[in-house]
Amino acid sequence: MDIERFNADWLQAWTDKDVDRLVGFYSADTVYKDPQVPHGVEGREALKTYLQTLFSSTPPMTYLPELVWAIQGGFCGRWYCDIGEGGKEGKIRGFDLVLIENSLIKHNEVYVHPLSETANA
């Protein structure tokens, strides 16, 4: 598996807010965690519902991959995100722990923090 290509395609689906394409990256019994759901969402259908709600309540967000590290069973990836057009509503840097099984995401944990305009990236 080309994890850099997988990561870039996956982050593009996040940018596009394409729920159907995005959940296609995840296994039927996936576990997904981010700051809004720290205890996790379990299963592709629950993730789909979560993403529909999330995407309808957030401005445009552009995800740009930075680095990807292969780990046993998956990868870790760091990315930047501009919130709003051109980052007018803020910028964040994030990190994903992604465990893969049968070419699908079995487990995904997301960690993010805001970047101030004066902070170094």
Side-chain angles (χ1 to χ4, degrees), residues 7-68:
N7 184 57
D9 292 345
W10 175 55
L11 290 176
Q12 187 61 52
W14 278 96
T15 295
D16 296 341
K17 294 186 175 187
D18 186 335
V19 173
D20 290 330
R21 186 172 50 147
L22 189 54
V23 298
F25 284 89
Y26 291 85
S27 68
D29 60 345
T30 194
V31 174
Y32 173 86
K33 298 178 181 184
D34 73 19
Q36 285 74 38
V37 287
H39 297 292
V41 173
E42 294 186 25
R44 186 184 287 151
E45 288 306 311
L47 178 60
K48 184 175 183 174
T49 299
Y50 170 68
L51 292 173
Q52 289 168 333
T53 301
L54 177 70
F55 290 162
S56 70
S57 64
T58 56
M61 299 176 81
T62 303
Y63 293 86
L64 301 169
E66 184 194 17
L67 295 171
V68 179

Side-chain angles (χ1 to χ4, degrees), residues 62-66 78-82 92-94 115 120-121:
T62 303
Y63 293 86
L64 301 169
E66 184 194 17
R78 188 168 62 204
W79 44 264
Y80 289 90
C81 179
D82 289 339
I92 57 176
R93 180 171 49 203
L115 296 173
N120 293 332

